[in-house]
Amino acid sequence: MLFTDRTDAGRRLAVALRHLERRDRDPVVLGLPRGGVPVAYEVAQALGAPLDVIVVRKLGVPHHPELGFGAIGEDGARVISDEIVRRTGVGDEDLASVERAEEAELLRRAGTYREGRPRLPLKGRTVVVVDDGVATGATARAACQVVRAQGAAHVVLAVPVASPDVAARLREDVDEVVCLSTPHLFSAVGEWYRDFSQTSDEEVVSLLARAAGGAATAEEVEVDAGGVPLSGDLTLPGDARALVVFAHGSGSSRSSPRNRAVARALNRAGLGTLLFDLLTPGEEVYRANVFDIGLLAGRLADTTRWVRRRVPLPVGTFGASTGAAAALRAASASDSGVGAVVSRGGRPDLAGADLSTVRAPTLLIVGGADTTVIDLNRQAQAALHCENRLAIVPGATHLFEEPGALERVADLARDWFTTHLVRPAEPHG
């Protein structure tokens, strides 16, 4: 297979990665600089995923630098081969000296490429590592190991072309290898491109800036919920017009694939999102806390106040299961600042008497096959005195796992929040 250039290769590679658009994936695309970034840019654009670089530095044995004893990445990620260290007999002081030098160069390059933008969080997410091709596989392998060390849940190595034996070996280091061509007569990556001209640092910077301008910025945050630190993921499109805070249900967390799928749809519509853990790891051990609606509502209310101070945008809440009751109880306070509420497969009935004082427009979404929860939502709807609607997704069960069901939830939530949170533009004249 012959590619016209890296843009052509990236577009063709994106087609082979379409399965990552499924609702249970939350992909981040990382390009290996420099040549991998133009390929990764096309993949990210096609998947609607954020783009970043994965900067790694090989740690070479002193006096034999082509032999790597490990690799380092950002935020202290390091992968060390104890076997090579032991075999070469190099002392700790020499190895530390190599690591310090490479870390300085790593930080310099990462800063140059991102121009001050934060590194995208990878913890718990599907990460697609992209290069323009693989010859020896050393850099690609190091990148995938570093990504895993940074908390990626599912690592995909995606390249247009690779040596067949190297591609086979790399499958041992990642969850998936997606490679369009593994020609047996392989000697160099460049021979499989008509145009394999060198990619400049300026081009890498330009592509990353262009992707960031049209995509959301994401960062891990520590939410201050009334003095209790809670982990969260804050995503803000460049043109964010409102923000939605997610309250997950019992037995779930901010990594819920269903909530993340809805959040991505909201991000594409220009809505920011905050997914956070309602309980600390220590509190999650006690099952009763998961069903303590008062505790969860208090955390959500504190978090809403925290995010309103940080991001001056209209705020809505999205609650799933018991999180829906927490969202409605938090919204019932006169000073809640919540402009709209959406419940997905929720238990709004658990909000009890507080339902009557909710003023935020409320959308209750239930699966058509989830008959018990439909009845509970109808009871809750009768207690609401605010603008409200019950939307039933035909054929869907409680978790909306049926084809197209979760996409329908995302569409309903997007339209509700857009209608009730986003202020129309002021007329000119």
Side-chain angles (χ1 to χ4, degrees):
M1 182 180 292
L2 188 63
F3 304 100
T4 303
D5 54 17
R6 291 182 178 87
T7 298
D8 172 52
R11 289 172 180 170
R12 291 205 237 174
L13 190 59
V15 174
L17 292 165
R18 286 291 185 189
H19 63 286
L20 297 180
E21 292 182 309
R22 294 202 314 261
R23 65 177 182 268
D24 60 336
R25 301 299 180 93
D26 187 18
V28 175
V29 178
L30 303 182
L32 274 160
R34 294 182 296 242
V37 175
V39 183
Y41 176 82
E42 298 299 330
V43 171
Q45 291 294 103
L47 297 182
L51 173 68
D52 202 353
V53 285
I54 170 68
V55 184
V56 297
R57 297 293 295 174
K58 185 179 78 171
L59 302 175
V61 173
H63 312 301
H64 193 7
E66 65 274 14
L67 176 61
F69 68 85
I72 58 171
E74 295 172 86
D75 285 356
R78 62 198 298 269
V79 180
I80 303 297
S81 171
D82 294 331
E83 180 184 351
I84 293 178
V85 171
R86 185 169 54 252
R87 196 171 71 225
T88 57
V90 180
D92 291 343
E93 186 174 333
D94 287 338
L95 297 181
S97 176
V98 171
E99 189 166 346
R100 283 194 300 271
E102 294 298 343
E103 183 178 16
E105 178 62 13
L106 181 147
L107 294 175
R108 185 194 70 79
R109 291 194 180 196
T112 297
Y113 292 141
R114 292 203 187 92
E115 295 187 313
R117 290 184 297 273
R119 182 177 69 83
L120 293 178
L122 306 183
K123 187 176 181 180
R125 301 178 75 174
T126 294
V127 178
V128 188
V129 177
V130 180
D131 205 354
D132 53 11
V134 171
T136 66
T139 303
R141 184 182 186 191
C144 292
Q145 290 175 333
V146 164
V147 162
R148 186 80 77 185
Q150 290 173 337
H154 189 86
V155 181
V156 181
L157 175 64
V159 293
V161 62
S163 164
D165 57 331
V166 171
R169 286 200 305 270
L170 286 170
R171 294 181 192 277
E172 300 172 4
D173 298 301
V174 299
D175 299 294
E176 290 183 62
V177 172
V178 177
C179 181
L180 302 183
S181 179
T182 53
H184 290 290
L185 298 176
F186 183 98
S187 59
V189 172
E191 66 183 345
W192 301 99
Y193 287 81
R194 288 194 178 93
D195 177 4
F196 198 65
S197 53
Q198 186 174 8
T199 302
S200 66
D201 280 345
E202 291 75 19
E203 184 178 355
V204 172
V205 170
S206 175
L207 288 171
L208 291 173
R210 195 187 313 171
T217 60
E219 62 175 319
E220 293 184 12
V221 295
E222 184 176 87
V223 174
D224 179 5
V228 178
L230 300 172
S231 298
D233 296 322
L234 178 64
T235 303
L236 287 173
D239 58 348
R241 299 170 292 169
L243 186 137
V244 177
V245 179
F246 281 69
H248 59 76
S250 58
S252 189
S253 71
R254 77 182 195 277
S255 298
S256 160
R258 286 169 290 277
N259 280 353
R260 286 191 174 276
V262 174
R264 289 197 299 273
L266 299 185
N267 295 153
R268 289 193 291 270
L271 299 171
T273 53
L274 172 64
L275 294 97
F276 75 105
D277 292 329
L278 286 160
L279 300 171
T280 66
E283 291 170 336
E284 289 175 348
V285 174
Y286 300 98
R287 186 66 177 165
N289 287 334
V290 174
F291 296 95
D292 188 338
I293 304 302
L295 171 63
L296 303 181
R299 293 285 170 81
L300 183 57
D302 289 337
T303 299
T304 301
R305 283 190 286 270
W306 177 87
V307 80
R308 288 180 69 202
R309 291 193 300 269
R310 183 184 177 108
V311 182
L313 293 171
V315 174
T317 52
F318 182 99
S321 187
T322 52
L328 286 163
R329 181 167 291 184
S332 69
S334 58
D335 61 347
S336 72
V338 174
V341 177
V342 172
S343 162
R344 170 185 65 80
R347 290 292 310 275
D349 56 295
L350 295 178
D354 291 313
L355 290 169
S356 64
T357 55
V358 174
R359 294 292 173 262
T362 299
L363 172 65
L364 308 174
I365 307 174
V366 189
D370 197 6
T371 53
T372 300
V373 175
I374 288 176
D375 290 340
L376 294 172
N377 273 255
R378 283 184 173 142
Q379 294 171 24
Q381 185 184 25
L384 290 169
H385 296 163
C386 58
E387 177 185 350
N388 63 80
R389 177 187 167 201
L390 174 62
I392 297 177
V393 179
T397 50
H398 186 62
L399 296 180
F400 298 89
E401 296 177 305
E402 295 69 27
L406 197 61
E407 288 79 0
R408 180 57 181 155
V409 170
D411 290 344
L412 288 165
R414 177 201 63 209
D415 293 346
W416 192 262
F417 286 127
T418 301
T419 299
H420 295 286
L421 293 181
V422 178
R423 299 183 180 91
E426 293 293 333
H428 296 285

